[in-house]
Amino acid sequence: MKNSYKILLGGISLFGIITWFTLSLSYDADGADQYGFPLKFYTKVSGYNLATQQGGTSTDFDFLALLADVAFAFAGSYTVFKLIKNFNRNANV
């Protein structure tokens, strides 16, 4: 497999893994669901006011933060690929 495909698949996988392990799910109990690392690109907030007997929900999506998180994952994938390639080259000498 070409190196670029390995980096592409690694970046997508790393993005999914990082997002999965760093998500915060507390929406059901007057809280917020937050996705993204190192930047939060999606947030959904809920709350209930006892005085007014009303609940509310709001969502926030930041496309630039999503792009930054994806770039972070691809940079990590590229770095890991280069380190493995360098390690294998040095081990064969």
Side-chain angles (χ1 to χ4, degrees):
M1 190 184 319
K2 286 189 163 188
N3 296 339
S4 58
Y5 290 126
K6 290 180 183 178
I7 293 170
L8 178 68
L9 290 175
I12 293 170
S13 300
L14 189 59
F15 175 74
I17 291 168
I18 289 173
T19 301
W20 179 262
F21 281 111
T22 60
L23 62 89
S24 171
L25 299 175
S26 59
Y27 176 70
D28 291 335
D30 285 343
D33 290 348
Q34 296 180 337
Y35 299 87
F37 178 83
L39 303 174
K40 302 293 183 199
F41 60 85
Y42 180 77
T43 304
K44 185 174 184 180
V45 180
S46 71
Y48 184 76
N49 188 338
L50 289 174
T52 62
Q53 300 291 316
Q54 293 181 346
T57 301
S58 69
T59 59
D60 181 40
F61 178 75
D62 187 0
F63 185 72
L64 292 177
L66 174 64
L67 287 179
D69 285 353
V70 170
F72 177 77
F74 279 103
S77 174
Y78 178 79
T79 303
V80 168
F81 177 74
K82 288 298 182 181
L83 287 173
I84 290 171
K85 191 173 180 181
N86 191 19
F87 178 75
N88 287 340
R89 185 181 314 132
N90 289 339
N92 291 333
V93 174

